[in-house]
Amino acid sequence: EVLLVESGGGLVQAGGSLRLSCAASGFTFDDYAIAWFRQAPGKEREGVSCMSNSDGSTAYAHSVKGRFTISRNDGKNPVYLQMDSLKPEDTAVYYCAVYRGIVSTCLSPRALYDYRGRGTQVTVSS
């Protein structure tokens, strides 16, 4: 069974930081990317960042570039999302997902994620 578990969300003041973790297990294919996406109430899904499992290449949404960093340990699991200089507009439920396409298309609103976790709430107060 494929399982993705996010953790690390919480309440933080604007300008603060959080680090999210995504622990993935239960799948055997080698070529995939881990995607972080978020969804706020009444808004469409927004791809935030992706990392290829095979070569470590990354992608970031324009809205988070320079503030968020995706990374992983040498063992490739978990995948982290370090979020700095947080803004109230970053408030959302953050999900990690498995994406079997190329990293350059991972953040598209039309990207089809094969599996996703249940999400972790991030709330940034002003």
Side-chain angles (χ1 to χ4, degrees):
E1 179 189 3
V2 175
L3 191 61
L4 294 160
V5 180
E6 303 94 341
S7 61
L11 172 64
V12 65
Q13 288 188 330
S17 298
L18 285 172
R19 189 177 78 160
L20 306 184
S21 296
C22 174
S25 62
F27 51 93
T28 58
F29 42 87
D30 294 326
D31 194 12
Y32 64 92
I34 292 294
W36 283 99
F37 69 94
R38 65 189 181 187
Q39 189 150 25
K43 294 188 177 181
E44 293 193 354
R45 182 190 91 184
E46 179 187 13
V48 173
S49 185
C50 290
M51 173 176 274
S52 167
N53 178 67
S54 57
D55 64 7
S57 58
T58 60
Y60 293 94
H62 179 74
S63 59
V64 306
K65 211 166 192 177
R67 300 189 298 122
F68 290 12
T69 305
I70 192 169
S71 65
R72 66 186 184 193
N73 293 329
D74 289 342
K76 301 184 179 180
N77 196 26
V79 174
Y80 302 103
L81 185 68
Q82 177 68 39
M83 306 187 296
D84 299 319
S85 302
L86 282 161
K87 304 175 181 180
E89 50 264 43
D90 294 318
T91 295
V93 179
Y94 284 70
Y95 302 86
C96 66
V98 173
Y99 178 64
R100 299 189 68 185
I102 56 176
V103 168
S104 61
T105 63
C106 184
L107 302 181
S108 166
R110 294 182 296 277
L112 296 178
Y113 299 138
D114 295 78
Y115 307 96
R116 71 178 218 185
R118 292 189 173 185
T120 185
Q121 175 70 47
V122 171
T123 303
V124 185
S125 64
S126 57

